[in-house]
Amino acid sequence: MIPRAAASALQRLARGFPIVAITGPRQSGKTTLARTVFAHKPYVSLESPDEREFAEQDPKGFLRRFDADGAILDEIQRCPALFSWLQTAVDARGRMGDFVITGSAQFELYAGVTQSLAGRVGRIELLPLSAHELAAAGVLPPSLEAAMWRGGYPALFDRELQPGDWFTNYVSTYLERDVRQLIAVRDLSLFQRFVRMCAARSGQLLNLAALGADCGVSAVTARQWLSVLEASYLVARVGPYHRNFGKRLTKSPKLYFLDAGLMGWLLGIRDATSLLHHPARGALFETYVVSEFIKHRFNAGQPADLYFWRDSSGHEVDLVYETPQGLQAVEIKAGSTFAGDWPAAALKWAQWVGAEALPPLIVYGGEGAFERQGCRVVGWRELANP
């Protein structure tokens, strides 16, 4: 197992909450992380028909087995009735880190947590492996193209698998299983087309009406389907930064896939070499970098809180986030050699922001870290060591 950066945040939350929840996409390593960090606890998967029937028919008796050490309850959204009984159990026992629950679908898990377990749950959102985790384990791919093509799902680093083989089955299983559970999709091929169109728009402003029209569905259906992709941690929206600094701002969010490898497969990219000159290289690199920033925050047990900034004149900064020291702007450039015009947008934005602006950060597709024109510049490999 590749050590996960989220382990320390998970242990921290277990000291302050009676229940710790690990959510994330299927096959992101939730179960492995839980069983590694809490190796002393019994493990039960509610995907098991026998265990699920026991939990549904006799939830009190089901939980009574774990009076001594609590337990890891995997895929708990499969048995919503347990949430209320868990509340009773942890309130009576008053132990921190008593139960660890995992789930792959936000809808059911959120419903159970907000209705029955509010204030009792510390949550970690676990995405596929970050570049930092891969670098620390010595398995970061040797080139940017290979890193984007392979993505970060643990199976692609734990087994002898080609990305194309794994993603083919992952998408098929996801469509057949999760989509049918969350929404009634009559035409799975149409939904798969929708997913591919979302991949083609990663890094772009989200226009649900246009997205739906291109797929032959209404904007209402597109919104519903997109919410399913978000609930399954396949995509995320990055909203516009709310402060205008005297400018009229874009109000639409941007759409990003959370794994560049999956995005590339959906776009028909079947080998790393083709990424050297592929038309989607820039969008893939931006997706790769944004997902790395999101993973870094999630692994620390924090919300993403990432934004972009764009005014009505087309001035844009790829990422903006708040720090205790001030506002940090990030520009993302897929080129492998620094170009003199790269800092222009971020420096202009910094002028509008004034004293709150930190020196802009430029992440580019080459290697090395240095300073240019008042900006910090880091390559894709250096990004793996924040």
Side-chain angles (χ1 to χ4, degrees):
M1 171 195 167
I2 295 174
R4 301 306 302 260
S8 59
L10 192 59
Q11 292 167 330
R12 183 185 76 238
L13 293 175
R15 292 192 291 268
F17 292 91
I19 299 173
V20 178
I22 309 173
T23 62
R26 291 198 177 275
Q27 302 296 314
S28 65
K30 301 182 298 297
T31 301
T32 303
L33 175 63
R35 299 189 75 172
T36 300
V37 175
F38 303 100
H40 62 288
K41 291 184 179 293
Y43 168 81
V44 175
S45 173
L46 289 162
E47 295 283 12
S48 165
D50 291 341
E51 293 287 1
R52 188 164 64 250
E53 182 180 10
F54 185 8
E56 290 171 343
Q57 298 298 323
D58 184 11
K60 190 173 182 179
F62 174 85
L63 292 175
R64 192 181 299 121
R65 294 183 296 168
F66 313 121
D67 283 347
D69 298 308
I72 300 168
L73 304 179
D74 206 1
E75 299 295 349
I76 193 172
Q77 79 277 356
R78 300 281 285 161
C79 187
L82 269 182
F83 286 111
S84 294
W85 290 96
L86 269 176
Q87 173 191 341
T88 302
V90 299
D91 286 354
R93 284 141 62 145
R95 299 191 311 218
M96 298 301 104
D98 202 0
F99 284 92
V100 180
I101 61 177
T102 79
S104 300
Q106 291 189 57
F107 287 147
E108 296 96 331
L109 204 60
Y110 278 168
V113 167
T114 56
Q115 292 173 15
S116 303
L117 301 176
R120 300 170 178 86
V121 179
R123 186 163 65 103
I124 285 287
E125 296 174 281
L126 188 70
L127 296 181
L129 291 159
S130 68
H132 175 69
E133 290 168 320
L134 294 173
V139 293
L140 183 68
S143 68
L144 172 59
E145 292 72 30
M148 293 192 295
W149 173 63
R150 185 165 289 272
Y153 281 93
L156 293 169
F157 297 89
D158 294 338
R159 313 177 205 163
E160 293 293 328
L161 279 171
Q162 289 297 312
D165 295 334
W166 192 81
F167 285 126
T168 298
N169 289 280
Y170 184 79
V171 171
S172 175
T173 301
Y174 165 70
L175 290 173
E176 290 292 335
R177 178 175 180 164
D178 289 359
V179 172
R180 287 189 186 278
Q181 288 180 0
L182 292 174
I183 55 175
V185 177
R186 296 179 181 178
D187 188 346
L188 283 176
S189 63
L190 186 60
F191 182 80
Q192 188 164 5
R193 181 184 176 190
F194 174 81
V195 176
R196 293 179 188 274
M197 295 300 289
C198 287
R201 286 165 170 74
S202 186
Q204 298 180 19
L205 291 175
L206 178 61
N207 184 326
L208 284 169
L211 178 59
D214 288 346
C215 299
V217 299
S218 68
V220 173
T221 298
R223 181 178 293 106
Q224 182 187 28
W225 287 1
L226 186 63
S227 69
V228 171
L229 297 184
E230 289 181 288
S232 302
Y233 290 95
L234 295 189
V235 303
R237 301 186 214 199
V238 172
Y241 192 63
H242 54 277
R243 294 173 60 184
N244 59 26
F245 309 113
K247 302 288 182 178
R248 293 181 58 192
L249 301 183
T250 296
K251 296 182 180 180
S252 299
K254 279 187 171 185
L255 179 67
Y256 286 99
F257 261 70
L258 288 171
D259 186 78
L262 177 58
M263 173 187 167
W265 184 87
L266 290 167
L267 294 178
I269 298 169
R270 297 296 182 259
D271 60 81
T273 304
S274 63
L275 279 173
L276 286 168
H277 306 290
H278 197 280
R281 176 187 171 87
L284 269 166
F285 183 64
E286 184 173 337
T287 296
Y288 176 83
V289 172
V290 170
S291 68
E292 287 299 311
F293 275 89
I294 295 175
K295 290 172 185 176
H296 180 68
R297 281 159 176 72
F298 281 1
N299 286 340
Q302 301 171 349
D305 287 341
L306 295 174
Y307 309 91
F308 73 98
W309 191 88
R310 183 174 183 175
D311 68 13
S312 58
S313 300
H315 299 111
E316 182 173 355
V317 175
D318 293 323
L319 282 180
V320 174
Y321 58 91
E322 298 175 345
T323 76
Q325 294 75 35
L327 291 174
Q328 181 67 67
V330 181
E331 281 285 84
I332 303 169
K333 304 294 184 181
S336 58
T337 304
F338 180 83
D341 61 346
W342 284 358
L347 290 175
K348 183 178 289 292
W349 177 84
Q351 290 177 352
W352 291 326
V353 174
E356 290 184 74
L358 297 174
L361 174 65
I362 298 175
V363 182
Y364 76 116
E367 298 186 25
F370 48 89
E371 293 188 9
R372 290 288 190 278
Q373 301 179 36
C375 297
R376 293 183 296 131
V377 184
V378 298
W380 73 276
R381 193 178 297 278
E382 286 69 31
L383 187 66
N385 299 288

